[in-house]
Amino acid sequence: MTNYIYAYTHTGNAKPWRRATGQSGKFWIKVGQTTRQGVDRVRQQVGTAFPGLLGVDILFHSEPATRPDGTTFSDHDVHRVLGAAGVVNAGGEWFEATLDEVRGAVVSLQRGVAFSPTRIQTFPMRDEQRAAVWQTAAYLRAHAADRPKFLWNAKMRFGKTFTTYQLAREMGWQRVLVLTYKPAVRSAWRDDLLSHIDFAGWRFIDNSTPTRDADVILDSDAPVVWFASFQDATGRDPQGRPKPRNETLYLVKWDCIVIDEFHFGAATMTARDLYDPQDSDDVARARQVAQALDQESDTTADVLVEPDAALSTRFHLHLSGTPFKAITNGDYDEDAIFNWTYIDEQRAKRSWDYRRGSNPYNLLPQMQMYTYAIGDVAGGWASDDEFDGFDLNTYFAAKKRDNGYVFDDPDRVASFLDLIRGKKQLPEGIIDGRRAAKFPYESAHFSEAVRHSIWYLNDVAACEAMAALLRRDHFFSSFEIYVAAGARAGIGADALPPLQRAIIRADQEGKSGSITLSCGKLMTGVTVPEWTSIFMLRSLRAPESYFQAAFRVQSPWKADGRIRKHTAYVFEFDPNRALSLVALYGTEIANNSPDRDVTQRDVLGELINFLPIFAIDGGHMEALDVDAILDWAHGGISANSLARKWRSVDLYDLNGVTMGRLLEDEELLAELEQIEDFRTIREEAEKVVTNTDKLKQVKREGGSRAEERNPKSEIAQHRKNIREKLKKVSAKVLIFMYLTDFREERLMHVIESLDTDLFLRSTGLSLSGFRKLAEVGVFNVSQMNDAIQKFRYFEKKSIEQLVQSEQTGSLLPSPRTDVHIRDPHPA
């Protein structure tokens, strides 16, 4: 029979402490043991001693009392550990202790280690975290001579900080540098390192650590993690040298540089020049600085760090939940990427074998999306190939007036508030065989979902105007309204504590809940467990930004010994935009799948099993299937908009890196130069690379905008010339797709086509040459996939219309009567 140690306190036992420790605690904690689950024993005791307090315990913890060798320990053993640590016994089983001190005593007995009131976390790695560590370590060791880089394409809530530290243990690293453009993630990196028992002995440095203390820590033998933001690390003094407090960054031989939230700015020229310079001179200079440190270890203050010095490291680890561009640009070897998606997570949750113990994925709630059309869903397509029928940023546009902010159209926003409250809508139930609509602040189904929510708006003005409107509203004024926008809300991690206090205030004062208004703050790298729903009130074009925001509300929430959040909700008010991004998300997952036969349709089919999507139209609601999602996502496509898509500049990435790769492939250049349009491709590519290097040099030296203008102009002109040539190839790829029997659904299907002769006749370029252009990153794979799918969708709908017209007796001719239509995925 399992023995449990339990600890609890309650308002009926508020006692003054006698400890002269500076602790702010005021509740005694009882530490006992039981053979029943701790919560049952606690409720029994509290209900007997304080009947009126049953159900309002303010602190509770329970742990199995088992040592590493399998033997058990008792509550008296825990009492002895607490006493040895100076914790006062207030009488019997009651102690003047904090919960962390009690947990620290229990952990010391469970693990056979020294008592620590801060290192109290003992959870093990999940299966996917072990796989990430194993796969990454194997790759880095195999390619150690090449300063390799590895990418974790892992969704939010994967546990990247904890798993990175486990990788550091596996690799035996002693010096790890974490860089990010999102300094709000600092607390996660610090807390995981300093609270988990596996990382005892590790030290943490950030910009709050005095320079002298940082130097002392780095001179010790202890393993160290240094956390820095790119904004701070790339800062320079008037002479162009690093800030004095950051000079040490350039003097350390780092075992690994970790880039967190890689999709946010880490690929910019400024960032890359810091952590991964392409210029060999920079690398040599960084090594010279590191050698100077070795030779003058006692006089490092005299080492002069050059203005354009770069960091020195053995390995790179990049972390992101949505690194779509980096993957499709071919920045990583296929075996240098670890993938973990929302589908993977929910599949693991559903298939968990309970013979292994409790399900660690139960804490991760399922996501559901509800879409509401508040604008005219009919519309055209703008010149940039984006749906132009409705824009949330315009709908909620606001401006400053006098001492406050107001919406451009307050009546329109008021009607939105009426909508989400379900005013003037049909009652819930089944109407004409269809489910009636559910609205966020009207349906009992969503009562827990909207208790604590985040509303994502476009800018500070919209957030402030919405706050003013909500506070004046009879219904919404019952919520705690918190504006997490603007300088007043705090910068970076400092913005989190005021929000936490606002949520606590809402609960303590008996309010209906809380509504957080943000235009970007707290949307990356922080955890707010109470958030259970997000209202998407801005138009986002990039799937990276959209899903980073959406998955914010999937943070686990456990309190009082039970899981408080089983489902998290996305309330979406621009269905076309949202479902287009969902479709693109499915495309990206399919592209990154090791199974090359997986299609967007396959992924979306599984995705909606784990992320159901419901569309509310008028008074009715329906669950969307794959066909409905694609209809929404591609709705409105015309022949003209399709042609614009295939002429879009987004199909190509013509930067210094891709042009450099092109110039390295003599065989590809020779083939291109045989084509009339590409006679000058070598000279054009060289000029892009040369002027890119010139622009980098001007930026390094702090040149003026006037000095940047000439290389920028040269780059733009030569990129335009190359792009015009590539557009002709893209147009001919459409011809090939039209003529081939196979129904290509992504670029890989085109590249792997067996009909090489047809491709050459259609495009004038060999299939191997086209494949190489994609591999070097000249073609943007993600955008090409989207263009291919839009073409197939348009073709499919055209054929359906043709069949329908023939069935109704129309004499319209078939545009493709000579082509055999074959399903690429027969039953």
Side-chain angles (χ1 to χ4, degrees), residues 730-740 758 762-763 791:
S730 300
K732 293 173 182 177
V733 170
L734 270 177
I735 297 174
F736 167 76
M737 291 172 56
Y738 185 85
L739 294 174
T740 184
L758 178 60
S762 301
T763 66
F791 170 75

Side-chain angles (χ1 to χ4, degrees), residues 75-97:
D75 55 349
H76 297 294
D77 296 312
V78 179
H79 300 166
R80 280 192 288 271
V81 173
L82 290 171
V87 176
V88 174
N89 185 307
E93 296 181 333
W94 291 91
F95 288 81
E96 296 178 8

